[in-house]
């Protein structure tokens, strides 16, 4: 990037960008909803209720990540109530920034690739006329996908068979054969980014776009505060082992991702296997499983763990986890929007927590899943009490 020394790593760049975004106060929508984002540390008692705000406490946009970084234990940033909420109040409703169908959904093509609605047997699905791979429930979804990411991915796949197009075809095959939602999500995000960048003009490269405040990339970079004390990239792809079951496959997926991205924008020298790993880590920690509530099904909280796809939400990504949450996540009928609803009375100033894992599971199981997927040891009141009772010794990786 212009003006940057070679030694500045991705994570440093991200922190720089985040500081810039904070100054720009992008959280107007949240403030209107009565929510603020602040940095939090875990008190010595380890209780989630005792989580303290640090930095510019009264301002929703004033999260001071650096202050949090000096603390031994931190949750990064979290959502706080800027007013009282009653149980049942809708706190936030949001559409995904990016979405990818779940494994079996991709393989069997049972769901619309853009909105995830079931493709009813009676409805003629609209397939992409060029690659015939992605099915859509309507012309509208096909057009939306084409505009945001599919044109690039599809055109790239038809490119020169001997060289550039091969990377993307391998990648598409990998996503489908191995049935992985995350590589697909990464590819779509990057295609969205490239599309965004292209709108800026032919002379703007992906890397130059890093310095632009409104692009998709700046939003992505917003998501990294959880890794508040970057130690460099983990020596082992432990999270990927967890997801994919085998290291070689993970590494193969990442290098294919990198090749694909470089193909989409050959000017981009930032993207390599490490970059993809970093992106993957961010997505793992910030996406939600999503399911589409069909006609006749009850709208409800996320209890049955059914997933039609994975999705990244710009604002909802700031909710931290507690095993005694005060906010429920709920899907709306036939819609990929999620709603967040208070499941207890919440006082102004309290942190808003959702559950990332099934809180009915045993403390060891919960802690293990949270450590593996989200990289933290849960010290919420429920975990602390249950772990003491069971003499549990679980630690983070
Ligand atoms: C979806 S993000 C939540 C927002 C995040 N705190 C941030 O600053 O971007 C998930 C990450 O937040 C952190 N986190 C969430 N809940 C936590 C908790 N109860 N204790 C410690 N860290 C937590 C973990 O690093 C996790 O990977």
């Amino acid at each position: 990037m212009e003006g940057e020394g070679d030694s500045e790593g991705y994570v440093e760049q991200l922190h720089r960008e985040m500081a810039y975004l904070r100054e720009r106060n992008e959280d107007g929508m949240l403030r209107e909803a009565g929510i603020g984002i602040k940095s939090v540390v875990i008190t010595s008692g380890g209780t989630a209720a005792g989580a303290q705000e640090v930095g510019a406490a009264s301002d929703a946009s004033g999260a001071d990540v650096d202050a949090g970084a000096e603390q031994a234990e931190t949750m990064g940033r979290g959502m706080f109530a800027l007013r009282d909420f009653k149980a049942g109040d809708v706190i936030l409703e949001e559409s995904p920034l990016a979405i990818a169908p779940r494994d079996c959904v991709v393989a069997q093509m049972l769901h619309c690739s853009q909105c995830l609605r079931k493709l009813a047997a009676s409805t003629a699905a609209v397939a992409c006329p060029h690659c015939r791979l992605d099915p859509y429930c309507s012309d509208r979804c096909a057009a939306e996908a084409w505009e945001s990411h599919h044109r690039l991915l599809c055109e790239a796949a038809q490119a020169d068979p001997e060289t550039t197009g091969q990377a993307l075809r391998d990648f598409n095959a990998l996503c489908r054969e191995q049935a992985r939602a995350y590589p697909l999500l990464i590819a779509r995000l990057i295609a969205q980014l490239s599309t965004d960048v292209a709108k800026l003009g032919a002379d703007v490269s992906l890397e130059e776009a890093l310095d632009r405040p409104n692009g998709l990339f700046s939003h992505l970079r917003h998501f990294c505060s959880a890794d508040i004390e970057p130690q460099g990239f983990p020596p082992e792809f432990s999270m990927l082992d967890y997801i994919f079951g085998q290291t070689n496959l993970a590494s193969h997926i990442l290098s294919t991702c990198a090749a694909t991205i470089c193909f989409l924008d050959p000017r981009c020298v930032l993207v390599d296997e490490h970059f993809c790993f970093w992106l993957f880590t961010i997505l793992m920690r910030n996406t939600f499983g999503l399911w589409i509530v069909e006609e006749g099904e009850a709208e409800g909280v996320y209890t049955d763990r059914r997933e039609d796809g994975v999705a990244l939400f710009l604002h909802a990504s700031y909710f931290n986890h507690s095993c005694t949450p005060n906010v429920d996540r709920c899907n709306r009928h036939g819609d990929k929007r999620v709603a967040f609803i208070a499941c207890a009375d919440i006082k102004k100033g309290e942190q808003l927590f959702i559950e990332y894992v099934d809180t009915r599971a045993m403390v060891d199981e919960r802690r293990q899943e949270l450590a593996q997927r989200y990289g933290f040891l849960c010290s919420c009141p429920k975990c602390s009490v249950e772990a003491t009772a069971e003499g549990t010794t679980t630690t983070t990786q």
Side-chain angles (χ1 to χ4, degrees):
M1 200 187 312
E2 211 176 29
E4 297 296 336
D6 284 346
S7 57
E8 190 182 30
Y10 305 131
V11 181
E12 285 79 8
Q13 289 177 16
L14 297 173
H15 278 260
R16 189 166 51 77
E17 175 82 3
M18 273 169 42
Y20 181 66
L21 284 173
R22 284 201 302 276
E23 278 166 27
R24 294 188 66 254
N25 182 13
E26 286 214 324
D27 298 315
M29 167 189 153
L30 287 184
R31 225 191 343 258
E32 232 166 74
I35 313 173
I37 299 171
K38 297 168 190 170
S39 291
V40 280
V41 291
I42 302 171
T43 57
S44 52
T47 62
Q52 293 174 343
E53 53 192 271
V54 294
S58 59
D59 183 348
S61 65
D64 187 341
V65 174
D66 293 337
E70 287 161 21
Q71 306 296 325
E73 282 194 279
T74 175
M75 291 186 193
R77 295 162 300 184
M79 293 278 223
F80 283 78
L82 295 183
R83 61 176 173 85
D84 292 353
F85 290 100
K86 286 251 163 270
D89 283 354
V90 175
I91 292 180
L92 177 70
E93 275 196 72
E94 196 174 9
S95 293
L97 185 67
I99 193 167
R102 242 296 163 228
D103 313 353
C104 58
V105 180
V106 180
Q108 297 168 21
M109 296 200 175
L110 295 176
H111 293 241
C112 172
S113 178
Q114 178 66 7
C115 74
L116 303 188
R117 296 189 80 162
K118 261 197 206 104
L119 298 172
S122 55
T123 313
V126 187
C128 167
H130 310 291
C131 67
R132 306 237 156 249
L133 281 175
D134 284 17
Y136 302 105
C137 67
S138 61
D139 288 331
R140 186 164 163 252
C141 273
E144 204 180 282
W146 185 258
E147 263 307 301
S148 76
H149 61 267
H150 191 66
R151 182 182 58 78
L152 259 186
L153 294 174
C154 185
E155 282 175 1
Q158 331 274 328
D160 179 2
E162 295 305 316
T163 53
T164 43
Q166 192 56 44
L168 201 72
R169 274 193 299 282
D170 286 352
F171 181 78
N172 276 335
L174 198 68
C175 289
R176 284 174 169 80
E177 281 160 23
Q178 302 290 342
R180 307 290 173 198
Y182 282 100
L184 200 56
L185 190 62
I186 291 179
R188 286 183 175 190
L189 273 168
I190 296 297
Q192 266 178 250
L193 167 66
S194 269
T195 308
D196 270 10
V197 172
K199 287 182 192 148
L200 296 173
D203 53 335
V204 179
S205 77
L206 204 58
E207 286 174 70
E208 282 164 330
L210 287 174
D211 274 338
R212 303 204 173 223
N214 275 324
L216 177 63
F217 222 57
S218 52
H219 293 317
L220 283 182
R221 287 193 274 168
H222 224 205
F223 289 132
C224 78
S225 84
D227 300 322
I228 224 160
E229 281 287 20
Q231 307 291 329
F233 294 97
E236 292 160 358
F237 290 168
S238 52
M239 195 182 302
L240 293 178
D241 285 349
Y242 169 65
I243 302 299
F244 296 122
Q246 18 167 330
T247 317
N248 287 344
L249 177 59
S251 166
H252 179 49
I253 286 177
L254 292 177
S255 51
T256 321
C257 267
T260 307
I261 293 162
C262 291
F263 168 65
L264 291 175
D265 188 342
R267 296 167 301 178
C268 181
V269 295
L270 255 184
V271 173
D272 61 8
E273 208 172 296
H274 281 306
F275 174 87
C276 289
F277 177 71
W278 168 81
L279 194 52
F280 184 89
T281 312
I282 290 179
L283 293 180
M284 277 300 300
R285 292 184 176 178
N286 289 283
T287 45
F288 292 125
L290 199 64
W291 85 97
I292 303 304
V293 184
E294 305 288 346
E295 283 304 316
E297 273 187 296
E299 271 184 10
V301 292
Y302 182 57
T303 50
D304 62 359
R305 310 283 138 192
R306 189 186 96 202
E307 285 186 2
D308 295 333
V310 288
L312 182 66
F313 294 86
L314 188 56
H315 292 110
S317 293
Y318 294 115
F319 283 110
N320 283 323
H321 163 89
S322 168
C323 297
T324 45
N326 49 13
V327 174
D328 272 337
R329 178 154 62 92
C330 166
N331 286 31
R332 294 302 200 197
H333 263 139
D335 198 332
K336 55 190 174 184
R337 274 177 315 153
V338 281
F340 294 87
I341 299 175
C343 56
D345 290 348
I346 299 168
K347 289 254 161 284
K348 178 178 172 181
E350 281 179 33
Q351 189 175 178
L352 305 169
F353 290 106
I354 57 172
E355 62 172 51
Y356 292 180
V357 298
D358 189 343
T359 50
R360 295 163 301 183
M362 301 293 287
V363 59
D364 252 2
E365 254 175 79
R366 300 197 305 266
R367 282 187 154 182
Q368 192 179 1
E369 195 179 338
L370 289 167
Q372 279 176 324
R373 175 159 176 179
Y374 297 95
F376 70 92
L377 175 69
C378 188
S379 50
C380 74
K382 183 171 152 106
C383 279
S384 304
V385 169
E386 290 177 16
T388 310
E390 290 183 19
T392 298
T393 55
T394 312
T395 53
T396 41
Q397 293 177 324

